[in-house]
Amino acid sequence: MGAQARTAIPFLAAAVRGGRSVSNRTPPPGSLVKNLKTPSTVQVLTPPPEGGSAEENARIYAAQALGRIGAIAAPALGELYEASQYGSEALRQAALTAIRLIEIEDQ
């Protein structure tokens, strides 16, 4: 995904944090990243568990997106570490996977 995804990282990190700091505003139009390709080493998105809230599902997908972005998403590691400790089971797993992907690519 590379440098094109850099503008999405703060928004995705805020989404991983959840309701305590995510605003209801959409990001500015210039910050949306389109037509990004997934590295071949990353698995297809794991669907969130049935019955999860929309906010919880958004947090899971945001963690997955940060992992797919790779090493340049390192500024979001703090939010991912927190989610890996205090989130729901599905969010913890998504955050741990994202952390591994970010750290592996950074080496």
Side-chain angles (χ1 to χ4, degrees):
M1 293 197 181
Q4 293 175 329
R6 192 176 309 275
T7 58
I9 294 168
F11 179 76
L12 291 169
V16 169
R17 279 193 302 269
R20 63 182 194 279
S21 61
V22 174
S23 70
N24 292 328
R25 297 178 296 149
T26 57
S31 69
L32 296 177
V33 180
K34 298 177 183 175
N35 300 324
L36 296 177
K37 295 184 179 179
T38 305
S40 60
T41 59
V42 178
Q43 298 294 323
V44 176
L45 291 178
T46 304
E50 292 290 323
S53 70
E55 180 182 344
E56 185 68 12
N57 293 346
R59 294 178 74 193
I60 293 166
Y61 285 132
Q64 291 174 340
L66 287 165
R68 290 174 45 206
I69 288 171
I72 65 167
L77 283 171
E79 286 83 357
L80 290 167
Y81 286 129
E82 185 175 333
S84 73
Q85 293 178 355
Y86 303 109
S88 66
E89 180 62 27
L91 178 57
R92 286 196 306 270
Q93 291 304 313
L96 287 170
T97 299
I99 291 166
R100 280 193 297 271
L101 290 170
I102 292 167
E103 290 178 345
I104 286 172
E105 191 175 298
D106 194 33
Q107 296 178 357

